[in-house]
Amino acid sequence: MHHFDYRQDRLYAEDIDISALAEKVGTPFYVYSEATLRRHIKVFSTAFADTDALVAYSVKANPNLAVLRILASEGAGADVVSAGELTRALHAGIAPEKIVFSGVGKTTEEMEAALNAEIYQFNVESAPELEALNNIAGDLDKIAPVAIRVNPDVAAGGHDKISTGRKEDKFGVPWTNARALYARAREMQNIRIKGVDLHIGSQIADLAPFETAFEKAAGLIKDLREDGCTIERLDLGGGLGIPYGAGTIPPHPNDYAELIKRVTAPLDVQLIFEPGRMIAGNAGLLVTKLVYVKEGEARKFLIVDAAMNDLIRPALYDAHHDIIPVKRDMDAVNARYDVVGPVCESSDYIAKARNLPEMAPGEYMAIMSAGAYGASQSSQYNTRPLIPEVLVNGDKHAIIRRRPTFDEMTALEHYPDWID
Ligand code: LLP
């Protein structure tokens, strides 16, 4: 559930009229609802309130500092995948003892930063990474708390490009090598084994793949304990899907929680979760303006001022985002359109063959469910400035990322000043 609704046919973000906001801020821009962010993290945490659980929000979904600070105030931890995300999480006030570090390619500098910050857990994804972490921790005279991310070889996820738990994916340690790697880890002086980690994919719309993978992980924990390993934690990653307005409706967090409690109850472990999309996805939308209506030979196009550099999900994953007018006209006639941006690529589209009410240039539209992997995956392609992010709280709003000037966009570039 979110807080974007029509009032007398005008779309509101909480108590803010989006048309008025668009006039003030200028399109395109993202708008996030604080009440929705708080609601989502509470729904997720409450589902596990009767267990020992750490909810480590996956920063990559929406890393804006203001968003992180809201989630920190609700007690969330963070799942980070780079030194940059680690710095953001700490900056926003997330305690290091609630931060887990995932990712297949952690560099020496990143491991040093995380060890110095004394984070809760490294999710290690390969034998060479484990070796490196042991050496770096040794040099710093630290002990690295580790979970090994295992690859359960389970197919899951809303699209091929967001599936991570199959054996052909780059993620995790092959299932068949896991026990041997744990045995090696136990001998390493500066590694302390804490748990098992897995993350099988994103936008997962049914419980079956979770159940298969989590049962496998439970079996592994039993085997590891027989081998003499102390396993105190089980990190189940993120991946729970959200409704995008088309396709299947994913399970409610309560059903996901029930399954997990059933599978993990006998294990006596602390559970760690890394939800991203579920928290931020439906807490944000992208407001765009219709620039031209173009009648092509084969199709009709709505050319809008948002583009693939602002929201790349349709181009990259054929993702569906609902599009609705900011001012609704119940009598408007519908037609079938491709909604496209101004970027010079055929893949620059927001929607294809979508039934939408006829609109006039200058009117605003909202691209829904854009709070996760929207702004965080945006770029300045075509030298289009990163777009503002606006946070709404009741009848107040705040610009939490402003539009850069041309000078700011090019500030890191220089005409050559040759050095010999
Ligand atoms: N933990 C790990 C280790 C991950 O790799 C991810 C997402 C998450 C947690 C959070 O997953 P979530 O709960 O958000 O599904 N850009 C794509 C999604 C990529 C997900 C990458 N990893 C998209 O826009 O659909």
Side-chain angles (χ1 to χ4, degrees):
M1 226 212 65
H2 56 68
H3 291 74
F4 303 106
D5 290 303
Y6 286 107
R7 293 186 192 171
Q8 272 125 33
D9 293 330
R10 298 172 74 92
L11 188 64
Y12 274 69
E14 301 193 17
D15 298 325
I16 297 269
D17 178 321
I18 292 185
S19 298
L21 191 60
E23 295 296 330
K24 209 175 279 176
V25 175
T27 54
F29 65 96
Y30 281 101
V31 54
Y32 309 132
S33 151
E34 176 161 348
T36 310
L37 287 166
R38 289 191 187 276
R39 185 191 152 85
H40 288 169
I41 192 81
K42 275 193 191 117
V43 166
F44 196 93
S45 309
T46 308
F48 293 98
D50 54 350
T51 60
D52 179 10
L54 168 65
V55 180
Y57 166 68
S58 197
V59 170
K60 64 175 82 65
N62 187 324
N64 187 290
L65 291 171
V67 170
L68 297 183
R69 181 160 288 182
I70 291 167
L71 299 175
S73 78
E74 295 288 345
D79 160 49
V80 302
V81 292
S82 68
E85 285 191 353
L86 172 63
T87 309
R88 278 180 184 273
L90 294 169
H91 192 282
I94 296 177
E97 60 270 19
K98 289 184 179 177
I99 297 179
V100 301
F101 198 151
S102 306
V104 296
K106 300 176 197 77
T107 63
T108 303
E109 294 73 22
E110 287 176 323
M111 288 178 178
E112 282 171 354
L115 284 163
N116 285 328
E118 316 228 308
I119 65 161
Y120 192 56
Q121 179 170 298
F122 290 84
N123 289 337
V124 169
E125 302 220 17
S126 65
E129 184 193 337
L130 186 67
E131 213 77 59
L133 182 59
N134 184 44
N135 291 336
I136 294 162
D139 291 345
L140 295 179
D141 204 14
K142 303 252 185 209
I143 302 287
V146 161
I148 294 181
R149 177 169 175 183
V150 288
N151 183 322
D153 191 23
V154 170
H159 188 274
D160 179 56
K161 290 183 184 158
I162 54 174
S163 294
T164 52
R166 303 162 301 186
K167 62 178 175 227
E168 57 273 31
D169 296 320
K170 69 178 175 181
F171 300 99
V173 169
W175 194 259
T176 42
N177 301 355
R179 273 172 97 168
L181 192 59
Y182 271 94
R184 263 173 68 195
R186 278 174 66 198
E187 321 228 292
M188 294 183 176
Q189 279 220 317
N190 296 79
I191 297 290
R192 183 79 19 94
I193 285 293
K194 294 289 183 185
V196 169
D197 168 48
L198 66 164
H199 167 80
I200 56 173
S202 198
Q203 187 52 17
I204 300 173
D206 78 280
L207 290 176
F210 284 123
E211 181 157 16
T212 311
F214 297 168
E215 294 277 13
K216 277 187 104 166
L220 177 65
I221 291 181
K222 284 183 204 134
D223 290 345
L224 293 172
R225 284 176 172 165
E226 270 168 30
D227 296 345
C229 263
T230 310
I231 302 291
E232 306 158 28
R233 307 175 191 164
L234 173 57
D235 184 334
L236 296 172
L240 188 58
I242 60 165
Y244 274 99
T248 46
I249 298 192
H252 190 275
N254 287 344
D255 299 325
Y256 170 77
E258 198 186 296
L259 154 74
I260 288 168
K261 286 182 215 172
R262 177 161 46 77
V263 175
T264 61
L267 299 174
D268 189 27
V269 283
Q270 181 196 31
L271 298 174
I272 301 175
F273 297 99
E274 303 167 358
R277 189 191 312 268
M278 198 261 141
I279 308 300
N282 277 319
L285 50 77
L286 170 53
V287 183
T288 185
K289 185 160 72 179
L290 179 57
V291 184
Y292 298 112
V293 182
K294 176 168 169 174
E295 303 269 347
E297 217 165 299
R299 298 188 180 229
K300 289 184 183 189
F301 299 98
L302 294 181
I303 302 174
V304 298
D305 63 0
M308 65 187 293
N309 69 299
D310 305 310
L311 179 68
I312 203 171
R313 301 194 69 258
L316 205 51
Y317 320 111
D318 304 310
H320 172 99
H321 287 262
D322 272 358
I323 301 175
I324 59 174
V326 166
K327 277 188 199 158
R328 184 165 63 173
D329 174 0
M330 297 303 244
D331 301 323
V333 183
N334 273 27
R336 187 164 285 234
Y337 296 104
D338 284 6
V339 181
V340 302
V343 161
C344 303
E345 302 258 350
S346 293
S347 55
D348 178 27
Y349 69 94
I350 309 286
K352 287 232 162 119
R354 189 71 64 82
N355 252 11
L356 287 168
E358 279 181 355
M359 275 183 272
E363 287 192 69
Y364 300 121
M365 288 176 238
I367 302 164
M368 306 301 285
S369 314
Y373 306 111
S376 66
Q377 296 197 112
S378 59
S379 76
Q380 300 193 142
Y381 186 41
N382 278 203
T383 309
R384 291 167 49 83
L386 292 179
I387 65 178
E389 294 175 275
V390 181
L391 182 69
V392 162
N393 178 354
D395 61 2
K396 299 190 294 286
H397 76 273
I399 310 276
I400 56 172
R401 183 178 76 186
R402 68 171 171 78
R403 203 185 303 278
T405 62
F406 175 80
D407 285 348
E408 285 170 328
M409 287 171 74
T410 53
L412 303 178
E413 296 172 32
H414 295 282
Y415 296 106
D417 187 4
W418 301 113
I419 303 160
D420 51 25

